Amino acid sequence: MKFIILGAGPGLPTLDRNQSCLYINMSERHILADCGEGTAQKLLRHGLDANVIDAILITHYHPDHISGIYMVLQMLYLQQRTKPLKLFLPERQSEFLATLSLFYTFPTRFQFILEVYPVAEVGSHIGGIIPVMNDHLLGYGDHIHRYSLKNMMQAYSLRFEEGDGSLVYTSDLATMESIRPIVLSTHSVIIDALHPNYKQISALQDMSIQRIILTHGISDELAAWLEEANDPRFEPAREDYAYYL
Ligand SMILES: [Zn+2]
C-alpha cells in the first residue's frame, strides 16, 4: 500500500498547508479520502487527474473536507474523463447532488458515470475498506434539534487493509472511544491531532502501532507531551510525501 497526504492543514486556513485530502493506492485501486480546498491542483501535481482516481470517499461535510469536490468534478468533466467514478458520501446524498446542479456542474453532461453511495456501504463496493462512524459531529446535536435541521451528524473514520498492511485515517474526531477497535494493532494511523485530548493520542503508544502520523494541526498540550515523550513513532504529517507499508 502507498499513500500520500495531499492536505494536512486544519479547518482554519494557513499559508503552507492544503486542506484535508489523502490519496491511497491499494489493491490496484486509486482512492481519495476527503477533498478539501485545493485538491484538484494536488491531483494535477501528482499525475492523479483525468482517469486515474477510482473512488472518492468523504468522511463528513465540514468545508475543509468537502469543498474541493466541486473543482475536482469540474476538472474531470473538462478533461473529458470517461472512467466511472464512485463517490461515497456521509449523508443526504441526493441533496449533495442538487448542489452540483446549483453550480451548473450537471452530472448528466459528464462523459463519465458518477456513481453515488453512502460511505457506510463502501466495504460492499471496494474490498479492504472499513468505515466506522465516529463522534466528531455529535456536539452539534442541540443546535440541530433547536432549529429542526436535517443534519444527521454522520462522520466516519476509515481503515484500509491490503495483505498484512493496514492504515487507519481517523479524519476529524472528538474522542478515540468510537474507533478504538479499528485502531488497535494497525500498522499506521493518520490521526486528527487537534481535536482529541492529548491523553487520547498519547494512549496510542500502547496499542501496537508502528507509525502515528499527526495531521490537522497539533494542540499545545500534545506538542508539550511529544517533546517530553520523545517517541519516534509519532511524526507530524508531511504533505506530498509518498509513504509505503
Ligand atoms: Zn471536521
Short mmCIF file of all heavy atoms in Angstrom, two decimals, residues 26-86:
data_model
loop_
_atom_site.label_atom_id
_atom_site.label_comp_id
_atom_site.label_asym_id
_atom_site.label_seq_id
_atom_site.Cartn_x
_atom_site.Cartn_y
_atom_site.Cartn_z
N MET A 26 -4.09 1.10 -3.25
CA MET A 26 -4.14 -0.25 -2.66
C MET A 26 -4.91 -1.17 -3.59
O MET A 26 -5.86 -0.76 -4.25
CB MET A 26 -4.82 -0.23 -1.29
CG MET A 26 -6.23 0.32 -1.28
SD MET A 26 -7.03 0.19 0.34
CE MET A 26 -7.72 -1.45 0.25
N SER A 27 -4.44 -2.42 -3.66
CA SER A 27 -5.10 -3.43 -4.49
C SER A 27 -5.39 -2.90 -5.89
O SER A 27 -6.47 -3.09 -6.45
CB SER A 27 -6.40 -3.90 -3.83
OG SER A 27 -6.18 -4.30 -2.51
N GLU A 28 -4.41 -2.22 -6.46
CA GLU A 28 -4.51 -1.65 -7.81
C GLU A 28 -5.64 -0.65 -7.95
O GLU A 28 -6.13 -0.39 -9.04
CB GLU A 28 -4.65 -2.77 -8.85
CG GLU A 28 -3.39 -3.62 -8.93
CD GLU A 28 -3.55 -4.82 -9.84
OE1 GLU A 28 -4.42 -4.79 -10.72
OE2 GLU A 28 -2.78 -5.78 -9.65
N ARG A 29 -6.08 -0.09 -6.84
CA ARG A 29 -7.09 0.97 -6.91
C ARG A 29 -6.50 2.29 -6.43
O ARG A 29 -5.61 2.30 -5.59
CB ARG A 29 -8.29 0.63 -6.02
CG ARG A 29 -9.15 -0.47 -6.57
CD ARG A 29 -10.36 -0.63 -5.67
NE ARG A 29 -11.08 -1.85 -5.94
CZ ARG A 29 -12.13 -1.93 -6.75
NH1 ARG A 29 -12.59 -0.87 -7.36
NH2 ARG A 29 -12.74 -3.09 -6.92
N HIS A 30 -7.03 3.36 -6.97
CA HIS A 30 -6.59 4.71 -6.61
C HIS A 30 -7.76 5.41 -5.91
O HIS A 30 -8.79 5.63 -6.54
CB HIS A 30 -6.17 5.49 -7.85
CG HIS A 30 -5.10 4.80 -8.65
ND1 HIS A 30 -3.76 4.93 -8.36
CD2 HIS A 30 -5.18 3.94 -9.70
CE1 HIS A 30 -3.06 4.19 -9.21
NE2 HIS A 30 -3.90 3.58 -10.04
N ILE A 31 -7.56 5.71 -4.65
CA ILE A 31 -8.67 6.19 -3.82
C ILE A 31 -8.30 7.53 -3.19
O ILE A 31 -7.16 7.73 -2.75
CB ILE A 31 -8.98 5.14 -2.74
CG1 ILE A 31 -9.49 3.86 -3.43
CG2 ILE A 31 -10.00 5.65 -1.73
CD1 ILE A 31 -9.38 2.64 -2.59
N LEU A 32 -9.28 8.42 -3.13
CA LEU A 32 -9.11 9.66 -2.38
C LEU A 32 -10.01 9.62 -1.17
O LEU A 32 -11.18 9.23 -1.28
CB LEU A 32 -9.55 10.87 -3.22
CG LEU A 32 -8.63 11.53 -4.20
CD1 LEU A 32 -9.27 12.84 -4.64
CD2 LEU A 32 -7.25 11.78 -3.63
N ALA A 33 -9.48 10.00 -0.02
CA ALA A 33 -10.31 10.16 1.17
C ALA A 33 -10.30 11.64 1.52
O ALA A 33 -9.26 12.21 1.81
CB ALA A 33 -9.76 9.33 2.32
N ASP A 34 -11.43 12.26 1.42
CA ASP A 34 -11.67 13.68 1.63
C ASP A 34 -11.14 14.52 0.48
O ASP A 34 -10.28 14.09 -0.31
CB ASP A 34 -11.13 14.17 2.97
CG ASP A 34 -12.07 13.77 4.12
OD1 ASP A 34 -13.26 13.57 3.85
OD2 ASP A 34 -11.59 13.65 5.26
N CYS A 35 -11.69 15.69 0.37
CA CYS A 35 -11.48 16.52 -0.81
C CYS A 35 -11.54 17.98 -0.38
O CYS A 35 -12.43 18.72 -0.77
CB CYS A 35 -12.62 16.20 -1.79
SG CYS A 35 -12.11 15.92 -3.45
N GLY A 36 -10.61 18.40 0.45
CA GLY A 36 -10.58 19.79 0.91
C GLY A 36 -10.20 20.74 -0.22
O GLY A 36 -9.87 20.32 -1.34
N GLU A 37 -10.25 22.03 0.08
CA GLU A 37 -9.92 23.04 -0.93
C GLU A 37 -8.50 22.80 -1.47
O GLU A 37 -7.59 22.50 -0.70
CB GLU A 37 -10.02 24.42 -0.28
CG GLU A 37 -9.99 25.55 -1.27
CD GLU A 37 -10.33 26.86 -0.59
OE1 GLU A 37 -11.44 26.98 -0.08
OE2 GLU A 37 -9.46 27.75 -0.58
N GLY A 38 -8.34 22.92 -2.75
CA GLY A 38 -7.01 22.75 -3.36
C GLY A 38 -6.72 21.34 -3.86
O GLY A 38 -5.65 21.07 -4.39
N THR A 39 -7.70 20.43 -3.71
CA THR A 39 -7.44 19.04 -4.09
C THR A 39 -7.18 18.89 -5.60
O THR A 39 -6.30 18.13 -6.00
CB THR A 39 -8.60 18.13 -3.64
OG1 THR A 39 -8.67 18.15 -2.22
CG2 THR A 39 -8.42 16.70 -4.12
N ALA A 40 -7.94 19.61 -6.42
CA ALA A 40 -7.77 19.46 -7.88
C ALA A 40 -6.32 19.76 -8.28
O ALA A 40 -5.70 19.02 -9.05
CB ALA A 40 -8.74 20.39 -8.61
N GLN A 41 -5.77 20.85 -7.72
CA GLN A 41 -4.39 21.21 -8.05
C GLN A 41 -3.41 20.13 -7.59
O GLN A 41 -2.45 19.80 -8.30
CB GLN A 41 -4.06 22.55 -7.38
CG GLN A 41 -2.84 23.20 -7.92
CD GLN A 41 -2.56 24.53 -7.21
OE1 GLN A 41 -2.60 24.58 -5.98
NE2 GLN A 41 -2.31 25.56 -7.97
N LYS A 42 -3.67 19.55 -6.42
CA LYS A 42 -2.80 18.48 -5.91
C LYS A 42 -2.87 17.24 -6.82
O LYS A 42 -1.86 16.57 -7.06
CB LYS A 42 -3.20 18.09 -4.48
CG LYS A 42 -2.81 19.13 -3.43
CD LYS A 42 -1.29 19.19 -3.26
CE LYS A 42 -0.90 20.13 -2.13
NZ LYS A 42 -0.13 19.53 -1.09
N LEU A 43 -4.06 16.94 -7.34
CA LEU A 43 -4.18 15.79 -8.24
C LEU A 43 -3.36 16.02 -9.50
O LEU A 43 -2.68 15.11 -9.99
CB LEU A 43 -5.65 15.54 -8.59
CG LEU A 43 -6.56 15.13 -7.42
CD1 LEU A 43 -7.97 14.88 -7.93
CD2 LEU A 43 -6.03 13.88 -6.72
N LEU A 44 -3.40 17.23 -10.01
CA LEU A 44 -2.58 17.56 -11.19
C LEU A 44 -1.10 17.38 -10.89
O LEU A 44 -0.35 16.79 -11.67
CB LEU A 44 -2.82 19.02 -11.60
CG LEU A 44 -4.09 19.33 -12.38
CD1 LEU A 44 -4.22 20.84 -12.55
CD2 LEU A 44 -4.07 18.65 -13.74
N ARG A 45 -0.67 17.89 -9.73
CA ARG A 45 0.75 17.85 -9.37
C ARG A 45 1.27 16.43 -9.28
O ARG A 45 2.42 16.15 -9.62
CB ARG A 45 0.95 18.56 -8.03
CG ARG A 45 2.37 18.70 -7.60
CD ARG A 45 2.52 19.68 -6.46
NE ARG A 45 2.09 21.01 -6.84
CZ ARG A 45 1.76 21.97 -6.00
NH1 ARG A 45 1.82 21.76 -4.72
NH2 ARG A 45 1.38 23.15 -6.44
N HIS A 46 0.42 15.50 -8.83
CA HIS A 46 0.86 14.12 -8.65
C HIS A 46 0.43 13.20 -9.81
O HIS A 46 0.56 11.98 -9.71
CB HIS A 46 0.30 13.56 -7.32
CG HIS A 46 0.95 14.20 -6.12
ND1 HIS A 46 2.14 13.75 -5.59
CD2 HIS A 46 0.58 15.26 -5.36
CE1 HIS A 46 2.46 14.50 -4.53
NE2 HIS A 46 1.54 15.42 -4.38
N GLY A 47 -0.09 13.78 -10.88
CA GLY A 47 -0.50 12.97 -12.02
C GLY A 47 -1.66 12.04 -11.70
O GLY A 47 -1.75 10.93 -12.23
N LEU A 48 -2.56 12.51 -10.84
CA LEU A 48 -3.69 11.67 -10.42
C LEU A 48 -5.01 12.18 -10.99
O LEU A 48 -6.09 11.80 -10.53
CB LEU A 48 -3.78 11.65 -8.88
CG LEU A 48 -2.56 11.06 -8.16
CD1 LEU A 48 -2.66 11.30 -6.65
CD2 LEU A 48 -2.43 9.58 -8.45
N ASP A 49 -4.94 13.06 -11.98
CA ASP A 49 -6.16 13.65 -12.54
C ASP A 49 -6.73 12.75 -13.66
O ASP A 49 -6.33 11.59 -13.79
CB ASP A 49 -5.83 15.06 -13.07
CG ASP A 49 -4.64 15.05 -14.04
OD1 ASP A 49 -3.61 14.44 -13.71
OD2 ASP A 49 -4.76 15.62 -15.14
N ALA A 50 -7.65 13.28 -14.45
CA ALA A 50 -8.29 12.59 -15.58
C ALA A 50 -8.86 11.24 -15.17
O ALA A 50 -9.72 11.17 -14.30
CB ALA A 50 -7.32 12.48 -16.75
N ASN A 51 -8.32 10.15 -15.72
CA ASN A 51 -8.95 8.83 -15.49
C ASN A 51 -8.32 8.02 -14.36
O ASN A 51 -8.59 6.82 -14.26
CB ASN A 51 -8.90 8.01 -16.78
CG ASN A 51 -9.95 8.46 -17.77
OD1 ASN A 51 -11.13 8.53 -17.44
ND2 ASN A 51 -9.54 8.78 -18.98
N VAL A 52 -7.49 8.63 -13.53
CA VAL A 52 -6.75 7.82 -12.55
C VAL A 52 -7.60 7.40 -11.35
O VAL A 52 -7.70 6.20 -11.04
CB VAL A 52 -5.48 8.58 -12.06
CG1 VAL A 52 -4.76 7.75 -11.00
CG2 VAL A 52 -4.55 8.87 -13.23
N ILE A 53 -8.19 8.34 -10.66
CA ILE A 53 -8.88 8.03 -9.39
C ILE A 53 -10.12 7.15 -9.65
O ILE A 53 -10.93 7.42 -10.54
CB ILE A 53 -9.29 9.35 -8.68
CG1 ILE A 53 -8.05 10.16 -8.30
CG2 ILE A 53 -10.16 9.07 -7.45
CD1 ILE A 53 -7.13 9.52 -7.28
N ASP A 54 -10.25 6.09 -8.84
CA ASP A 54 -11.41 5.18 -8.96
C ASP A 54 -12.56 5.60 -8.06
O ASP A 54 -13.73 5.40 -8.39
CB ASP A 54 -10.99 3.75 -8.56
CG ASP A 54 -9.99 3.16 -9.53
OD1 ASP A 54 -10.37 2.92 -10.69
OD2 ASP A 54 -8.82 2.99 -9.14
N ALA A 55 -12.21 6.10 -6.87
CA ALA A 55 -13.27 6.38 -5.89
C ALA A 55 -12.86 7.54 -4.99
O ALA A 55 -11.68 7.71 -4.68
CB ALA A 55 -13.54 5.15 -5.04
N ILE A 56 -13.85 8.32 -4.59
CA ILE A 56 -13.64 9.41 -3.63
C ILE A 56 -14.55 9.15 -2.44
O ILE A 56 -15.75 8.91 -2.60
CB ILE A 56 -13.96 10.79 -4.26
CG1 ILE A 56 -13.04 11.05 -5.46
CG2 ILE A 56 -13.81 11.90 -3.21
CD1 ILE A 56 -13.36 12.35 -6.22
N LEU A 57 -13.95 9.17 -1.24
CA LEU A 57 -14.71 8.95 -0.01
C LEU A 57 -14.70 10.25 0.80
O LEU A 57 -13.61 10.80 1.03
CB LEU A 57 -14.05 7.85 0.85
CG LEU A 57 -14.16 6.40 0.42
CD1 LEU A 57 -13.56 6.12 -0.93
CD2 LEU A 57 -13.48 5.51 1.47
N ILE A 58 -15.86 10.71 1.20
CA ILE A 58 -15.94 11.92 2.03
C ILE A 58 -16.31 11.49 3.45
O ILE A 58 -17.34 10.84 3.66
CB ILE A 58 -16.98 12.92 1.46
CG1 ILE A 58 -16.65 13.29 0.00
CG2 ILE A 58 -17.07 14.15 2.37
CD1 ILE A 58 -15.35 14.03 -0.21
N THR A 59 -15.47 11.87 4.42
CA THR A 59 -15.71 11.40 5.79
C THR A 59 -16.82 12.19 6.49
O THR A 59 -17.55 11.64 7.31
CB THR A 59 -14.43 11.49 6.65
OG1 THR A 59 -14.01 12.87 6.72
CG2 THR A 59 -13.33 10.64 6.06
N HIS A 60 -16.93 13.50 6.21
CA HIS A 60 -18.01 14.31 6.78
C HIS A 60 -18.07 15.63 6.03
O HIS A 60 -17.15 15.97 5.28
CB HIS A 60 -17.81 14.53 8.30
CG HIS A 60 -16.60 15.33 8.66
ND1 HIS A 60 -15.31 14.83 8.56
CD2 HIS A 60 -16.46 16.60 9.13
CE1 HIS A 60 -14.44 15.75 8.95
NE2 HIS A 60 -15.11 16.83 9.30
N TYR A 61 -19.16 16.36 6.26
CA TYR A 61 -19.42 17.54 5.44
C TYR A 61 -18.87 18.86 5.98
O TYR A 61 -19.43 19.90 5.68
CB TYR A 61 -20.92 17.70 5.21
CG TYR A 61 -21.53 16.78 4.17
CD1 TYR A 61 -22.85 16.39 4.27
CD2 TYR A 61 -20.81 16.35 3.07
CE1 TYR A 61 -23.44 15.57 3.32
CE2 TYR A 61 -21.38 15.54 2.11
CZ TYR A 61 -22.72 15.15 2.24
OH TYR A 61 -23.29 14.35 1.29
N HIS A 62 -17.81 18.88 6.73
CA HIS A 62 -17.19 20.17 7.04
C HIS A 62 -16.48 20.68 5.78
O HIS A 62 -15.93 19.88 5.02
CB HIS A 62 -16.16 20.03 8.17
CG HIS A 62 -16.74 20.26 9.54
ND1 HIS A 62 -16.27 19.63 10.66
CD2 HIS A 62 -17.76 21.07 9.95
CE1 HIS A 62 -16.97 20.05 11.71
NE2 HIS A 62 -17.88 20.90 11.31
N PRO A 63 -16.50 21.99 5.55
CA PRO A 63 -15.96 22.52 4.29
C PRO A 63 -14.51 22.11 4.01
O PRO A 63 -14.15 21.91 2.84
CB PRO A 63 -16.06 24.04 4.48
CG PRO A 63 -17.16 24.23 5.46
CD PRO A 63 -17.09 23.05 6.39
N ASP A 64 -13.69 21.98 5.04
CA ASP A 64 -12.28 21.63 4.77
C ASP A 64 -12.12 20.17 4.35
O ASP A 64 -11.00 19.75 4.04
CB ASP A 64 -11.39 21.96 5.98
CG ASP A 64 -11.88 21.38 7.29
OD1 ASP A 64 -13.10 21.44 7.55
OD2 ASP A 64 -11.06 20.86 8.06
N HIS A 65 -13.22 19.41 4.31
CA HIS A 65 -13.15 18.02 3.85
C HIS A 65 -13.93 17.78 2.56
O HIS A 65 -13.79 16.74 1.94
CB HIS A 65 -13.67 17.07 4.95
CG HIS A 65 -12.80 17.06 6.16
ND1 HIS A 65 -11.96 16.00 6.47
CD2 HIS A 65 -12.59 17.99 7.12
CE1 HIS A 65 -11.28 16.29 7.58
NE2 HIS A 65 -11.64 17.49 8.00
N ILE A 66 -14.79 18.75 2.17
CA ILE A 66 -15.66 18.53 1.00
C ILE A 66 -15.55 19.63 -0.05
O ILE A 66 -15.83 19.40 -1.21
CB ILE A 66 -17.14 18.37 1.46
CG1 ILE A 66 -18.14 18.15 0.31
CG2 ILE A 66 -17.61 19.61 2.26
CD1 ILE A 66 -18.08 16.81 -0.31
N SER A 67 -15.09 20.83 0.33
CA SER A 67 -15.24 21.97 -0.59
C SER A 67 -14.48 21.78 -1.90
O SER A 67 -14.86 22.34 -2.93
CB SER A 67 -14.81 23.27 0.08
OG SER A 67 -13.43 23.18 0.42
N GLY A 68 -13.42 20.97 -1.91
CA GLY A 68 -12.65 20.78 -3.13
C GLY A 68 -13.32 19.88 -4.16
O GLY A 68 -12.88 19.81 -5.31
N ILE A 69 -14.40 19.21 -3.78
CA ILE A 69 -15.01 18.23 -4.69
C ILE A 69 -15.55 18.92 -5.95
O ILE A 69 -15.53 18.34 -7.04
CB ILE A 69 -16.15 17.44 -3.98
CG1 ILE A 69 -16.60 16.24 -4.81
CG2 ILE A 69 -17.35 18.32 -3.69
CD1 ILE A 69 -15.69 15.09 -4.80
N TYR A 70 -16.02 20.15 -5.80
CA TYR A 70 -16.63 20.81 -6.96
C TYR A 70 -15.59 21.07 -8.05
O TYR A 70 -15.85 20.84 -9.23
CB TYR A 70 -17.30 22.12 -6.52
CG TYR A 70 -18.43 21.85 -5.55
CD1 TYR A 70 -18.27 22.04 -4.18
CD2 TYR A 70 -19.65 21.34 -6.00
CE1 TYR A 70 -19.29 21.76 -3.29
CE2 TYR A 70 -20.67 21.05 -5.12
CZ TYR A 70 -20.48 21.26 -3.76
OH TYR A 70 -21.49 20.96 -2.90
N MET A 71 -14.41 21.51 -7.66
CA MET A 71 -13.37 21.76 -8.67
C MET A 71 -12.79 20.44 -9.20
O MET A 71 -12.37 20.38 -10.35
CB MET A 71 -12.26 22.65 -8.09
CG MET A 71 -12.65 24.11 -8.00
SD MET A 71 -13.32 24.78 -9.55
CE MET A 71 -11.96 24.50 -10.67
N VAL A 72 -12.78 19.40 -8.38
CA VAL A 72 -12.33 18.09 -8.88
C VAL A 72 -13.30 17.61 -9.97
O VAL A 72 -12.87 17.20 -11.06
CB VAL A 72 -12.22 17.06 -7.74
CG1 VAL A 72 -12.03 15.65 -8.31
CG2 VAL A 72 -11.06 17.42 -6.81
N LEU A 73 -14.60 17.69 -9.71
CA LEU A 73 -15.57 17.21 -10.70
C LEU A 73 -15.55 18.09 -11.95
O LEU A 73 -15.65 17.59 -13.07
CB LEU A 73 -16.97 17.16 -10.07
CG LEU A 73 -17.14 16.09 -8.99
CD1 LEU A 73 -18.51 16.21 -8.33
CD2 LEU A 73 -16.96 14.68 -9.56
N GLN A 74 -15.40 19.40 -11.77
CA GLN A 74 -15.32 20.28 -12.95
C GLN A 74 -14.07 19.95 -13.77
O GLN A 74 -14.11 19.91 -14.99
CB GLN A 74 -15.28 21.75 -12.52
CG GLN A 74 -15.10 22.68 -13.71
CD GLN A 74 -15.44 24.12 -13.39
OE1 GLN A 74 -16.56 24.41 -12.99
NE2 GLN A 74 -14.49 25.01 -13.57
N MET A 75 -12.95 19.69 -13.08
CA MET A 75 -11.72 19.35 -13.79
C MET A 75 -11.90 18.04 -14.58
O MET A 75 -11.53 17.96 -15.76
CB MET A 75 -10.56 19.20 -12.80
CG MET A 75 -9.25 18.76 -13.44
SD MET A 75 -7.87 18.73 -12.27
CE MET A 75 -8.24 17.27 -11.31
N LEU A 76 -12.48 17.03 -13.94
CA LEU A 76 -12.64 15.73 -14.61
C LEU A 76 -13.58 15.86 -15.82
O LEU A 76 -13.37 15.22 -16.85
CB LEU A 76 -13.17 14.69 -13.62
CG LEU A 76 -12.25 14.40 -12.42
CD1 LEU A 76 -12.88 13.34 -11.53
CD2 LEU A 76 -10.86 13.96 -12.86
N TYR A 77 -14.59 16.72 -15.69
CA TYR A 77 -15.51 16.98 -16.81
C TYR A 77 -14.75 17.65 -17.97
O TYR A 77 -14.81 17.20 -19.11
CB TYR A 77 -16.66 17.85 -16.32
CG TYR A 77 -17.46 18.51 -17.41
CD1 TYR A 77 -18.19 17.75 -18.33
CD2 TYR A 77 -17.49 19.90 -17.54
CE1 TYR A 77 -18.93 18.36 -19.34
CE2 TYR A 77 -18.22 20.52 -18.53
CZ TYR A 77 -18.93 19.74 -19.44
OH TYR A 77 -19.64 20.35 -20.44
N LEU A 78 -13.98 18.68 -17.64
CA LEU A 78 -13.26 19.42 -18.69
C LEU A 78 -12.13 18.59 -19.30
O LEU A 78 -11.76 18.78 -20.44
CB LEU A 78 -12.71 20.74 -18.13
CG LEU A 78 -13.78 21.77 -17.73
CD1 LEU A 78 -13.15 22.97 -17.03
CD2 LEU A 78 -14.57 22.22 -18.96
N GLN A 79 -11.60 17.65 -18.52
CA GLN A 79 -10.57 16.75 -19.05
C GLN A 79 -11.18 15.60 -19.85
O GLN A 79 -10.47 14.74 -20.34
CB GLN A 79 -9.73 16.18 -17.90
CG GLN A 79 -8.83 17.20 -17.23
CD GLN A 79 -8.01 16.60 -16.10
OE1 GLN A 79 -8.46 15.66 -15.42
NE2 GLN A 79 -6.82 17.13 -15.87
N GLN A 80 -12.50 15.58 -19.92
CA GLN A 80 -13.24 14.55 -20.66
C GLN A 80 -12.95 13.15 -20.14
O GLN A 80 -12.72 12.21 -20.91
CB GLN A 80 -12.98 14.67 -22.16
CG GLN A 80 -13.37 16.06 -22.65
CD GLN A 80 -13.30 16.21 -24.16
OE1 GLN A 80 -12.75 15.36 -24.86
NE2 GLN A 80 -13.83 17.29 -24.65
N ARG A 81 -12.93 13.05 -18.84
CA ARG A 81 -12.78 11.74 -18.21
C ARG A 81 -13.88 10.81 -18.73
O ARG A 81 -15.03 11.24 -18.94
CB ARG A 81 -12.93 11.89 -16.68
CG ARG A 81 -12.91 10.57 -15.91
CD ARG A 81 -13.22 10.79 -14.42
NE ARG A 81 -13.43 9.54 -13.74
CZ ARG A 81 -12.53 8.97 -12.92
NH1 ARG A 81 -11.38 9.55 -12.68
NH2 ARG A 81 -12.81 7.82 -12.33
N THR A 82 -13.52 9.52 -18.88
CA THR A 82 -14.51 8.54 -19.35
C THR A 82 -14.75 7.42 -18.34
O THR A 82 -15.76 6.74 -18.40
CB THR A 82 -14.04 7.90 -20.68
OG1 THR A 82 -12.71 7.41 -20.51
CG2 THR A 82 -14.09 8.92 -21.81
N LYS A 83 -13.79 7.22 -17.42
CA LYS A 83 -13.93 6.10 -16.47
C LYS A 83 -14.97 6.44 -15.40
O LYS A 83 -14.96 7.55 -14.86
CB LYS A 83 -12.57 5.84 -15.81
CG LYS A 83 -12.53 4.58 -14.98
CD LYS A 83 -11.10 4.17 -14.64
CE LYS A 83 -10.53 4.93 -13.48
NZ LYS A 83 -9.27 4.35 -12.98
N PRO A 84 -15.89 5.49 -15.06
CA PRO A 84 -16.86 5.77 -14.00
C PRO A 84 -16.14 6.17 -12.71
O PRO A 84 -15.03 5.71 -12.44
CB PRO A 84 -17.60 4.44 -13.82
CG PRO A 84 -17.43 3.74 -15.12
CD PRO A 84 -16.07 4.15 -15.63
N LEU A 85 -16.78 7.03 -11.93
CA LEU A 85 -16.22 7.48 -10.65
C LEU A 85 -17.21 7.15 -9.54
O LEU A 85 -18.39 7.52 -9.62
CB LEU A 85 -15.98 8.99 -10.69
CG LEU A 85 -15.43 9.61 -9.40
CD1 LEU A 85 -14.00 9.14 -9.13
CD2 LEU A 85 -15.47 11.14 -9.48
N LYS A 86 -16.72 6.45 -8.53
CA LYS A 86 -17.56 6.16 -7.37
C LYS A 86 -17.34 7.27 -6.34
O LYS A 86 -16.21 7.54 -5.95
CB LYS A 86 -17.19 4.81 -6.75
CG LYS A 86 -17.58 3.61 -7.59
CD LYS A 86 -17.13 2.31 -6.89
CE LYS A 86 -17.81 1.08 -7.45
NZ LYS A 86 -17.62 0.86 -8.86
#
